[in-house]
């Protein structure tokens, strides 16, 4: 609007442009700060990628990589894991695993026909792993789950030779008999005449046992000694050598007393059933505390547990029985199958392959169906390694075999009579690829810093971080961490192809790394990974990216010990007792009969402990035996009851964790491992060492990270959220941006008020001018009228 020649709007707009000049300068500074913050964020991302690439190579285990190749991949597949051993293995696939199938012997006219009079049916799968062939709901047992556990394995009565068999033995009429008592019955066996090596002699004894109808086995152990064992297990099994002309050649001696087998023990939630006489096909009523579970034995009892489902059979019809078995969801499926009109059968199938999935159900329960007959045999997968007399076979309940070769998993796909060769070799190419990623990540960081800090006086341009000495110094840290020599190591980064170039970047010759890996993979692993030099009394265990290289004092005030009992059974067992060893929910028990020797007790206890999966061993301490944990410290704690069947109590046997300091800071002790956490206030945080057995006092550890570990240390320090240089720099840049935003907001508020006031003032001025202009017009009119009047007079 223009009044009296004055354009107020244009004037105010022009004045506000002048007023906005400081604001424009603030916005320019904010934009520069934002670009710098974004540049620092991008650089931080690149450094973190460098850290990630370094961490893949910072552990020695990263250099223990393998790959597999297979001559017939259509027959077998293989995968390798940590610790896989290199080498090759040839074998044939004899058979694949298959699940057991059963059907009723006879059929019924419809699925509604009753096939059992039992109100409850017990069903399970995999019971043969503990020595049970079938299960049946016994007296008083109702629907529910039964945790059927064997807490103590049974064992046969065993008579052992005291000397190895000769390489060649001639048997004739003067040295061909062995007198023995098996399960309380006296026998004399006669060996066939002939000349035998050690293995042949054992076979000749077995043939003589079989000819006499004696349920016992003869084997030759690893020491070349003859071992005679009863087929029966439990304390009802006994064997005693009583005489004979062949004893000297057999390495046997007359026994003063009979050797007795070991009882098996069923445990159902604390209710124990001891089985003293164990023969295949034998029946046992297991007390569950709420009725009995009737089991048929398949062999000796072995430590383990299976879940037995007891289900109601409804109206007893084929339909209800099948539905009840399916409801159990216990490794067995069932179906009422219509073959044709008026012919229905019960079909059962194991849901897991192999012997471990075999169905356990008493066919007598289904008497109205004539029992059960196998339609598909349970079958383990089997491979055979080698050929001829030295060949041996390995089975698996499924088609997957683990650790046939250490750290290698084999999966068989089809049967093959042609040998399949699996070769496991070092995967140096994978390591080389990871080193290439590490070098590439380093060059990305260096290149980005170069671009962000570049200044071009000619063009008058510069990067957003130009003049930032801290950022420029990061490039040198990145280079040095990867290319500088590691103190104490003869292998240099250049030895594996990593060197600086003239432009400040890093070059990588992969062929040199591969050559070094072939020559000395251990040295290459140490060049890249974490490690340290220690005294003879401790060993380097580990460190982290937060651990700073250096020499640290280690002071051990308490040595680690393993949990160990006092000496037990000095001179053997004077009375019979049951010993129990417990770790958490796992329990091993062993019934010790009066008269057992110390060696027999040690062997029996170790067998029970191993079967229960406990990391506890029985050992001879020179005067008796003691039980000792495998693990040091409280991780090996166990409980011991030396009279589990009587008035004994569970007593804790405790180990001691190591106690000490690292770099003057109280460290965490677990077993022999002494460590600082990454949160501890020490340059050694994240460092851990293993202290030797019984060692106390002042020690030292000299931690020297390899090049990848050093990169991880440097980059972690740069990007750490609380103290990292890049993080702090970016935070400072963001604070500057926030500060500019606040200033801009306040300035804009002031400009708005200023513009409002200016426009109001100019509006008032225009109003005043308009009024004056109107008054001038009126006066002009008045004067003109007066002049006209005067002119007419």
């Amino acid at each position: 609007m223009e009044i009296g020649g004055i354009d107020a709007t244009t004037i105010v707009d022009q004045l506000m442009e002048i007023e906005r000049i400081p604001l424009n300068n603030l916005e320019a500074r904010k934009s520069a700060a934002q670009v710098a913050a974004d540049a620092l964020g991008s650089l931080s991302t690149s450094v973190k990628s460098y850290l990630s690439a370094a961490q893949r190579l910072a552990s020695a285990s990263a250099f223990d990589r393998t790959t597999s190749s297979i001559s017939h991949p259509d027959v077998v597949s293989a995968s390798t894991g940590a610790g896989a051993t290199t080498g090759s293995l040839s074998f044939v696939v004899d058979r694949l695993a298959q699940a057991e199938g059963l059907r009723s012997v006879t059929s019924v006219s419809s699925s509604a026909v009753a096939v059992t009079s039992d109100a409850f049916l017990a069903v399970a799968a995999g019971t043969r792993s503990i020595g049970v062939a079938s299960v049946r709901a016994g007296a008083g047992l109702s629907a529910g789950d039964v945790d059927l556990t064997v807490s103590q394995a049974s064992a046969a009565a065993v008579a052992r030779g005291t000397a190895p068999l000769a390489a060649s033995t001639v048997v004739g009429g003067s040295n061909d008999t062995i007198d023995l008592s098996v399960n309380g019955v006296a026998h004399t066996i006669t060996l066939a005449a002939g000349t035998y090596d050690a293995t042949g002699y054992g076979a000749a004894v077995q043939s003589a046992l079989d000819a006499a109808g004696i349920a016992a086995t003869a084997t030759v152990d690893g020491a070349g000694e003859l071992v005679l064992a009863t087929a029966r297990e439990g304390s009802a099994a006994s064997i005693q050598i009583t005489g004979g002309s062949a004893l000297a050649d057999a390495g046997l001696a007359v026994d003063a007393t009979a050797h007795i087998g070991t009882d098996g023990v069923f445990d159902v939630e604390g209710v124990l059933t001891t089985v003293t006489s164990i023969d295949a096909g034998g029946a046992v009523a297991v007390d569950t505390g709420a009725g009995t579970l009737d089991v048929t034995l398949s062999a000796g009892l072995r430590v383990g547990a299976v879940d037995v489902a007891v289900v109601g059979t409804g109206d007893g019809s084929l339909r209800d029985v099948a539905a009840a078995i399916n409801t159990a969801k216990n490794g067995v499926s069932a179906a009422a199958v219509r073959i044709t009109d008026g012919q229905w059968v019960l079909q059962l199938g194991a849901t897991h392959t192999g012997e471990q999935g075999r169905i356990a159900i008493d066919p007598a329960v289904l008497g109205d169906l004539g029992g059960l007959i196998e339609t598909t045999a349970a079958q383990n997968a089997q491979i055979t390694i080698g050929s001829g007399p030295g060949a041996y076979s390995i089975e698996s309940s499924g088609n997957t075999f683990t650790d046939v070769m250490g750290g290698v998993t084999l999966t068989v796909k089809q049967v093959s009579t042609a040998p399949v060769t699996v070769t496991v070799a070092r995967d140096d190419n994978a390591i080389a690829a990871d080193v290439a990623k590490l070098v590439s990540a380093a060059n990305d960081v260096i290149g980005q810093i170069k671009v962000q800090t570049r200044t071009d006086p000619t063009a008058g341009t510069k990067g957003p971080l130009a003049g930032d000495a801290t950022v420029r110094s990061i490039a040198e840290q990145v280079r040095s961490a990867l290319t500088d020599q590691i103190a104490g190591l003869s292998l240099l980064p250049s030895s594996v192809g990593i060197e600086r170039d003239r432009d400040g970047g890093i070059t990588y010759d992969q062929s040199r790394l591969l050559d070094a890996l072939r020559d000395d993979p251990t040295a290459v692993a140490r060049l890249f990974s974490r490690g340290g030099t220690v005294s003879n009394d401790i060993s380097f265990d580990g460190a982290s990216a937060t651990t700073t290289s250096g020499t640290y004092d280690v002071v051990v005030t308490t040595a680690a010990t393993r949990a160990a009992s006092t000496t037990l059974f000095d001179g053997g067992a004077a009375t019979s007792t049951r010993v129990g060893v417990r770790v958490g929910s796992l329990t091993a028990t062993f019934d010790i009969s009066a008269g057992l020797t110390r060696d027999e007790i040690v062997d029996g206890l170790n067998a029970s402990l191993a079967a229960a999966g406990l990391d506890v061993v029985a050992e001879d301490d020179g005067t008796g035996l003691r039980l000792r944990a495998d693990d040091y410290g409280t991780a090996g704690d166990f409980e011991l009851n030396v009279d589990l069947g009587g008035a004994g109590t569970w007593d804790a046997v405790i180990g001691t964790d190591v106690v000490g300091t690292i770099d003057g800071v109280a460290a965490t002790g677990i077993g022999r491992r002494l460590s600082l956490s990454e949160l501890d206030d020490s340059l050694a945080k994240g460092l851990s060492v293993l202290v030797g057995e019984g060692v106390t006092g002042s020690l030292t550890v000299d931690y020297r990270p390899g090049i990848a570990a050093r990169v991880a240390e440097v980059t972690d320090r740069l990007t750490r959220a609380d103290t990292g240089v890049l993080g702090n720099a970016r935070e400072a840049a963001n604070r500057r941006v926030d500060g500019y935003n606040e200033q801009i907001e306040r300035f804009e508020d002031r400009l708005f008020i200023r513009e409002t006031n200016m426009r109001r003032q100019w509006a008032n001025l225009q109003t005043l001018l308009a009024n004056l202009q109107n008054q001038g017009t009126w006066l002009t009119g008045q004067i003109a009228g007066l002049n006209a009047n005067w002119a007419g007079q």
Side-chain angles (χ1 to χ4, degrees):
M1 180 176 64
E2 184 175 341
I3 299 174
I6 300 174
D7 186 352
T9 300
T10 301
I11 292 172
V12 172
D13 288 344
Q14 291 175 348
L15 288 173
M16 289 308 301
E17 285 296 323
I18 297 172
E19 294 281 348
R20 292 186 65 87
I21 291 175
L23 178 62
N24 293 337
N25 291 337
L26 280 174
E27 289 178 336
R29 289 196 289 271
K30 170 198 167 184
S31 177
Q34 186 63 63
V35 171
D38 292 343
L40 287 166
S42 177
L43 180 58
S44 181
T45 299
S46 295
V47 174
K48 287 179 180 178
S49 296
Y50 190 28
L51 167 61
S52 178
Q55 286 175 328
R56 285 185 58 82
L57 296 165
S59 170
S61 61
F63 292 81
D64 186 20
R65 286 189 245 178
T66 53
T67 185
S68 61
S69 60
I70 305 169
S71 61
H72 295 286
D74 56 327
V75 175
V76 178
S77 64
S79 61
T80 61
T85 55
T86 59
S88 62
L89 182 71
S90 295
F91 54 88
V92 295
V93 179
D94 303 314
R95 60 176 184 256
L96 300 181
Q98 62 184 25
E100 183 179 36
L102 303 173
R103 71 164 176 85
S104 58
V105 174
T106 60
S107 62
V108 291
S109 59
S110 83
S111 63
V113 173
V115 295
T116 183
S117 59
D118 286 26
F120 299 99
L121 179 148
V123 61
T127 59
R128 289 176 185 265
S129 63
I130 62 172
V132 172
S134 66
V135 292
R136 182 172 183 170
L141 197 61
S142 57
D145 289 335
V146 176
D147 182 13
L148 183 61
T149 301
V150 173
S151 59
Q152 176 172 298
S154 59
V158 177
R160 298 179 181 276
T162 57
L165 297 170
S168 178
T169 302
V170 178
V171 175
S174 63
N175 63 342
D176 61 353
T177 63
I178 299 175
D179 300 329
L180 71 166
S181 173
V182 177
N183 301 333
V185 179
H187 301 275
T188 296
I189 62 173
T190 302
L191 279 64
T195 301
Y196 302 101
D197 61 12
T199 302
Y201 193 91
V205 175
Q206 183 66 63
S207 295
L209 290 168
D210 293 342
I214 302 171
T217 59
T219 57
V220 179
D221 65 14
E225 297 173 351
L226 183 66
V227 179
L228 302 179
T230 59
R232 175 178 294 168
E233 296 185 3
S235 60
S238 65
I239 189 168
Q240 183 178 8
I241 307 301
T242 57
S245 61
L247 296 192
D249 291 334
L252 299 172
V254 173
D255 294 317
T257 59
H259 302 277
I260 305 299
T262 302
D263 293 335
V265 178
F266 284 107
D267 182 344
V268 180
E269 297 183 358
V271 180
L272 305 182
T273 301
T274 300
V275 188
T276 59
S277 182
I278 301 166
D279 297 291
V284 177
V286 178
D287 188 358
T288 69
T292 61
L293 181 70
D294 297 335
V295 306
T296 302
L297 303 177
S298 61
L301 297 184
R302 301 295 177 259
V303 171
V306 293
D307 180 36
V308 178
V310 180
V311 294
T313 57
D315 62 7
S317 66
L318 176 63
R319 175 187 57 232
D320 279 9
V321 167
I325 293 173
N326 287 327
T327 300
K329 297 180 180 179
N330 204 31
V332 183
S333 64
V337 179
R338 174 181 170 276
I339 299 174
T340 185
D341 289 341
Q343 280 190 291
W344 290 73
V345 296
L346 176 66
Q347 180 70 47
L348 302 179
T351 57
H352 298 288
T353 58
E355 289 289 333
Q356 291 185 3
R358 287 185 65 169
I359 299 168
I361 186 172
D362 190 342
V365 176
L366 303 170
D368 293 346
L369 285 170
L372 298 170
I373 187 172
E374 199 169 61
T375 55
T376 305
Q379 179 173 283
N380 289 342
Q382 177 177 295
I383 60 175
T384 296
I385 300 169
S387 59
Y392 59 96
S393 298
I394 300 173
E395 294 188 0
S396 171
S397 61
N399 290 321
T400 298
F401 294 77
T402 58
D403 289 333
V404 175
M405 300 174 70
V408 181
T409 299
L410 304 173
T411 301
V412 294
K413 303 176 183 179
Q414 63 183 43
V415 173
S416 173
T417 55
V420 178
T421 300
V422 176
T423 301
V424 177
R426 286 184 54 82
D427 194 359
D428 289 344
N429 287 328
I431 297 170
D434 279 345
V435 174
K437 293 176 183 176
L438 177 66
V439 174
S440 176
N443 282 326
D444 285 346
V445 174
I446 294 168
Q448 192 171 44
I449 291 174
K450 185 180 293 186
V451 170
Q452 302 290 4
T453 60
R454 178 177 296 161
T455 299
D456 187 348
T458 303
T461 59
K462 62 180 181 179
L465 302 178
D468 193 326
T470 299
V471 172
R472 285 200 302 271
S473 72
I474 291 174
E476 181 54 31
Q477 293 180 60
V478 165
R479 280 188 290 266
S480 297
L482 192 55
T483 61
D484 283 0
Q485 181 179 2
I486 301 298
L489 299 185
S490 58
L491 199 64
L492 304 175
S494 59
S495 304
V496 296
I498 298 175
E499 297 181 278
R500 299 188 185 208
D501 64 19
R502 294 179 179 178
D503 297 326
I506 299 172
T507 62
Y508 170 50
D509 185 344
Q510 181 169 297
S511 64
R512 289 162 70 181
L513 174 71
L514 293 173
D515 288 342
L517 283 169
R518 281 190 291 269
D519 292 341
D520 193 345
T522 301
V524 175
R526 177 63 189 92
L527 174 65
F528 280 86
S529 63
R530 299 183 175 98
T533 303
V534 293
S535 64
N536 292 331
D537 294 324
I538 60 173
S539 59
F540 174 79
D541 180 61
S544 72
T546 64
T547 312
T548 302
S549 58
T551 302
Y552 301 102
D553 292 327
V554 178
V555 178
V556 181
T557 54
T558 302
T561 63
R562 289 186 280 196
S565 71
T566 57
T567 299
L568 306 170
F569 307 109
D570 185 3
T575 59
S576 297
T577 187
R578 174 177 290 166
V579 174
V581 180
R582 183 169 68 188
V583 178
S585 61
L586 299 177
T587 302
T589 61
F590 179 65
D591 286 333
I592 299 175
S593 303
L596 285 184
T597 66
R598 187 191 310 164
D599 288 344
E600 288 173 326
I601 298 172
V602 168
D603 290 344
L605 277 171
N606 280 329
S608 294
L609 292 165
L614 301 185
D615 292 329
V616 180
V617 296
E619 59 186 10
D620 191 333
D621 68 357
T623 58
L625 67 87
R626 67 170 183 166
L627 292 162
R628 174 186 56 75
D630 282 337
D631 296 328
Y632 282 85
T634 54
D637 290 353
F638 61 92
E639 294 177 277
L640 174 64
N641 190 330
V642 296
D643 188 14
L644 185 60
T649 59
W650 287 102
D651 298 319
V653 184
I654 305 297
T656 304
D657 293 316
V658 65
V659 178
T661 62
I662 299 177
D663 193 34
V665 178
T668 300
I670 300 177
R672 295 192 301 118
R673 185 175 185 266
L674 200 61
S675 64
L676 294 182
S677 80
E678 295 188 10
L679 301 177
D680 281 318
D681 186 16
S682 167
L683 294 177
K685 58 185 174 183
L687 180 65
S688 63
V689 296
L690 291 177
V691 181
E693 183 175 4
V695 173
T696 58
S698 297
L699 311 164
T700 59
V701 57
D702 184 24
Y703 171 56
R704 291 288 177 262
I707 56 178
R710 185 168 58 189
V711 167
E713 176 186 327
V714 169
T715 51
D716 176 77
R717 191 165 58 243
L718 289 172
T719 57
R720 205 170 295 162
D722 51 351
T723 60
V725 170
L726 280 173
N728 287 343
R730 187 183 184 190
E731 182 63 27
N734 284 331
R735 284 198 299 271
R736 286 196 296 274
V737 172
D738 291 341
Y740 286 132
N741 281 330
E742 292 176 1
Q743 292 180 57
I744 289 169
E745 185 177 353
R746 290 195 299 269
F747 209 106
E748 285 180 335
D749 289 342
R750 291 198 299 270
L751 287 180
F752 176 78
I753 294 172
R754 176 68 172 149
E755 183 176 2
T756 301
N757 289 335
M758 289 178 65
R759 293 193 184 279
R760 184 174 62 250
Q761 291 170 355
W762 280 99
N764 291 337
L765 177 60
Q766 286 180 318
T767 300
L768 177 60
L769 290 174
N771 290 335
L772 292 174
Q773 190 174 31
N774 290 335
Q775 291 176 10
T777 301
W778 179 78
L779 288 174
T780 300
Q782 292 297 316
I783 293 171
L786 290 173
N787 289 334
N789 291 332
W790 290 338
Q793 291 180 357

